[in-house]
Amino acid sequence: MKREFGMSIRKLATPLLLLGLLLGGCGAKDDPQARLEAAVQQLQDNLEAKKTAAVLDQLHKEFRAQQANDRDWAKRTMTLLFLRHNNVKVLALGKSSRVDVTYRDKGYTDAQVALTGAEGLIPDSARHYAVKLEWWQDGGEWKLARLDWE
């Protein structure tokens, strides 16, 4: 009897521990830093999956790239890139994100990025960029408002 009780506790402990970990992660919804980092990762994932509409959903309505290019430019550029290359990879060689300490509705990401494109498995083009992203909270979501690169 004692052994059966010990086994049933172990059987319950694992699911309860997993549930606790999942529920503990729910606090990230209230953490602007965690949501910002998730938005950065989602942008990378959407670009690699060639999801133009999903990327556009992440752009703020006042989006600007290099201070001059707007959302239409972003859409045309992605369409051209995705048509030209079957496989697109965005390799973040290093990145750091932070929420502005004064204006909590602004966040910033600095990244070193390698962008590769390929018709098949082997990349036939690759470029390295130093990228600066400025994010604005809009309706509780981080939206990419400014994009600059060198």
Side-chain angles (χ1 to χ4, degrees):
M1 183 72 150
K2 197 176 199 180
R3 183 175 178 180
E4 289 176 27
F5 180 71
M7 287 183 70
S8 64
I9 287 178
R10 275 186 266 167
K11 285 182 180 179
L12 284 175
T14 302
L16 288 175
L17 179 62
L18 291 173
L19 181 61
L21 290 172
L22 289 172
L23 292 176
C26 291
K29 290 181 180 178
D30 297 332
D31 180 7
Q33 179 70 34
R35 287 186 294 119
L36 176 59
E37 290 171 3
V40 172
Q41 185 61 52
Q42 187 64 52
L43 180 64
Q44 180 178 348
D45 294 345
N46 287 336
L47 286 168
E48 287 185 354
K50 298 168 57 168
K51 295 181 177 177
T52 303
V55 172
L56 291 172
D57 284 344
Q58 286 192 266
L59 300 184
H60 193 274
K61 62 186 173 210
E62 296 178 32
F63 171 81
R64 291 288 176 266
Q66 298 292 82
Q67 301 176 359
N69 303 307
D70 62 7
R71 293 170 54 91
D72 289 334
W73 169 87
K75 183 178 180 179
R76 288 189 312 270
T77 301
M78 282 187 287
T79 300
L80 180 64
L81 177 69
F82 297 159
L83 286 173
R84 184 178 296 164
H85 301 288
N86 288 333
N87 297 312
V88 174
K89 289 289 181 200
V90 180
L91 306 169
L93 305 173
K95 64 183 171 185
S96 67
S97 296
R98 68 193 179 289
V99 175
D100 192 300
V101 293
T102 305
Y103 302 102
R104 304 286 296 164
D105 61 341
K106 287 191 177 186
Y108 305 94
T109 302
D110 295 311
Q112 297 294 318
V113 175
L115 180 63
T116 66
E119 289 302 315
L121 295 175
I122 300 172
D124 52 27
S125 69
R127 300 208 51 194
H128 176 266
Y129 299 95
V131 181
K132 293 187 180 294
L133 302 96
E134 182 176 321
W135 300 84
W136 298 352
Q137 282 202 64
D138 185 10
E141 290 184 51
W142 287 108
K143 300 284 185 170
L144 181 58
R146 302 290 181 261
L147 172 64
D148 294 295
W149 64 87
E150 296 175 7

